[in-house]
């Protein structure tokens, strides 16, 4: 692939040349997941958290006909302040088209995995992944993130799936697709704002070195796809499930009433929940993303140490 198509920032290129740990970060969370200017502050703080944990951050987006691996301050600023309807929300289906059109695009989990893998980055931190939406039996709304986890070898660290999704169905699909879901440090699966979903985890690891080793073993075995690490939100930032359930129900009802469909569903629900919790959900969201960035940096460090 031409260097014009995949453009590494000087910092990321230097880390790669030295075999130092790198953590990929997505950009849809900036453009479609949080309001300006908090989104910019968070993007900057997440990058700092990765650096403080000994790795190099690589925030990924499409700009000017190139996949950018690592964004400078001006690029982050541009993404953060551009209105949602002027930035493409990119998944596997539209990544190439965005490049052809020369438009600005923010990468979802799926597209970030594709770009990270092209750049030789094996670890990626985010907040929440897309999954099987509630009512998917009639809407067929299942995020392309799940398929991507089945085919692209990147370890994705998240805080579990939001209650806007059908968590049991999401887990069933991941199991069918052969994606390992690894709970970090506890026996139950976290549910984004809450540490416990009430569902038990099939896999648990307490040591980032084991998560790195497991990714390498998948490669040795010729198993396609990545791993999903679910990392519970820190205690002090948790919002109990009982508090979130009625809020999520209201947001879901509003989405139906307003006829929101397809790619707009997830951004709409995130925004509505933010309003309904008067920002408390955003504070929790920020805390868990930072926590995931730190864990991903530890996994990337182990991967580099193990020679991956
Ligand atoms: N879930 C969140 N926050 C997010 C997203 C999901 O809690 O910002 C974003 C991620 O970029 C994810 C995308 O990959 O939404 C999934 O969108 P969809 O459901 O349309 O596939
Ligand atoms: Mn969808």
């Amino acid at each position: 692939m031409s260097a014009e198509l995949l453009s590494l920032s000087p910092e990321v290129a230097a880390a790669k040349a030295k075999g130092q740990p790198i953590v990929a970060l997505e950009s849809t969370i900036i453009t479609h997941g949080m309001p300006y200017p908090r989104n910019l502050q968070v993007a900057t703080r997440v990058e700092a958290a990765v650096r403080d944990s000994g790795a190099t951050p690589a925030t990924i987006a499409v700009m000017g006909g190139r996949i950018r691996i690592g964004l400078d301050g001006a690029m982050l600023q541009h993404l953060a302040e551009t209105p949602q309807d002027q930035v493409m929300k990119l998944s596997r289906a539209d990544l190439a088209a965005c490049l052809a059109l020369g438009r600005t695009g923010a990468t979802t989990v799926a597209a970030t995995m594709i770009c990270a893998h092209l750049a030789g980055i094996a670890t990626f931190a985010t907040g929440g992944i897309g999954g099987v939406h509630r009512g998917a039996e009639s809407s067929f709304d299942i995020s392309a993130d799940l398929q991507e986890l089945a085919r692209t070898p990147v370890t994705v660290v998240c805080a579990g799936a939001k209650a806007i999704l059908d968590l049991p169905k999401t887990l069933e699909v991941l199991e069918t697709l052969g994606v390992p879901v690894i709970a970090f440090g506890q026996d139950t699966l976290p549910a984004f704002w809450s540490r416990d979903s009430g569902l038990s985890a099939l896999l648990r690891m307490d040591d980032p070195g084991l998560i790195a080793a497991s990714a390498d073993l998948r490669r040795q075995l010729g198993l396609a796809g990545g791993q999903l690490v679910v990392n519970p939100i820190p205690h002090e930032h948790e919002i109990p499930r009982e508090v979130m359930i009625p809020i999520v129900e209201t947001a879901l009802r509003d989405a139906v009433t307003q006829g929101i469909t397809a790619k707009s569903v997830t951004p709409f629900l995130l925004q509505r929940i933010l309003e309904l919790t008067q920002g408390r959900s955003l504070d929790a969201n920020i805390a868990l993303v930072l926590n995931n960035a730190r864990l991903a940096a530890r996994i990337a460090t182990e991967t580099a140490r193990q020679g991956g």
Side-chain angles (χ1 to χ4, degrees), residues 3-170:
E4 263 106 83
L5 200 48
L6 195 70
S7 170
L8 276 60
S9 70
E11 186 191 13
V12 172
K16 242 184 96 74
K18 293 185 206 144
Q20 289 169 348
I22 305 173
V23 172
L25 300 165
E26 64 153 306
S27 45
T28 295
I29 192 173
I30 304 172
T31 56
H32 293 71
M34 295 180 184
Y36 184 79
R38 290 295 287 282
N39 58 352
L40 181 59
Q41 294 157 8
V42 173
T44 309
R45 282 179 65 194
V46 172
E47 291 198 349
V50 170
R51 283 194 192 94
D52 290 348
S53 306
T56 297
T59 305
I60 295 178
V62 173
M63 288 177 178
R66 292 177 178 201
I67 297 173
R68 302 273 176 185
I69 311 285
L71 306 181
D72 62 26
M75 292 174 187
L76 275 181
Q77 172 81 37
H78 171 68
L79 265 188
E81 68 188 6
T82 304
Q84 230 181 67
D85 55 6
Q86 289 170 38
V87 183
M88 289 177 77
K89 176 183 160 190
L90 302 179
S91 192
R92 171 174 282 265
D94 29 31
L95 180 60
C98 181
L99 288 162
L101 292 165
R103 290 191 55 189
T104 298
T107 52
T108 60
V109 168
T112 306
M113 290 179 75
I114 295 170
C115 298
H117 182 53
L118 288 171
I121 303 171
T123 315
F124 161 25
T126 185
I129 60 158
V132 181
H133 278 265
R134 298 218 225 156
E137 58 275 24
S138 55
S139 70
F140 277 45
D141 191 349
I142 301 177
S143 175
D145 290 352
L146 302 184
Q147 286 279 3
E148 206 56 52
L149 281 159
R151 59 199 294 180
T152 302
V154 171
T155 293
V156 180
V157 181
C158 74
K162 283 208 168 113
I164 59 175
L165 301 175
D166 186 320
L167 197 49
K169 284 198 184 73
T170 300

Side-chain angles (χ1 to χ4, degrees), residues 38 239 247 271-283:
R38 290 295 287 282
I239 308 180
I247 288 167
Q271 174 58 29
R272 197 69 194 99
I273 289 166
L274 179 105
E275 292 160 8
L276 291 165
T277 60
Q278 281 130 13
R280 187 175 171 201
S281 67
L282 182 57
D283 295 335

Side-chain angles (χ1 to χ4, degrees), residues 140-221:
F140 277 45
D141 191 349
I142 301 177
S143 175
D145 290 352
L146 302 184
Q147 286 279 3
E148 206 56 52
L149 281 159
R151 59 199 294 180
T152 302
V154 171
T155 293
V156 180
V157 181
C158 74
K162 283 208 168 113
I164 59 175
L165 301 175
D166 186 320
L167 197 49
K169 284 198 184 73
T170 300
L171 291 169
E172 287 296 345
V173 171
L174 286 168
E175 186 184 15
T176 302
L177 293 172
V179 177
V181 179
I182 303 167
F184 183 70
Q186 65 180 31
D187 292 320
T188 55
L189 294 168
F192 204 79
W193 300 289
S194 326
R195 288 177 62 83
D196 188 359
S197 64
L199 300 166
S200 55
L202 297 179
L203 295 168
R204 169 184 174 158
M205 290 183 191
D206 296 12
D207 172 3
L210 292 177
I211 298 171
S214 170
D216 185 57
L217 283 160
R218 286 184 66 87
R219 186 188 55 78
Q220 290 185 50
L221 294 170

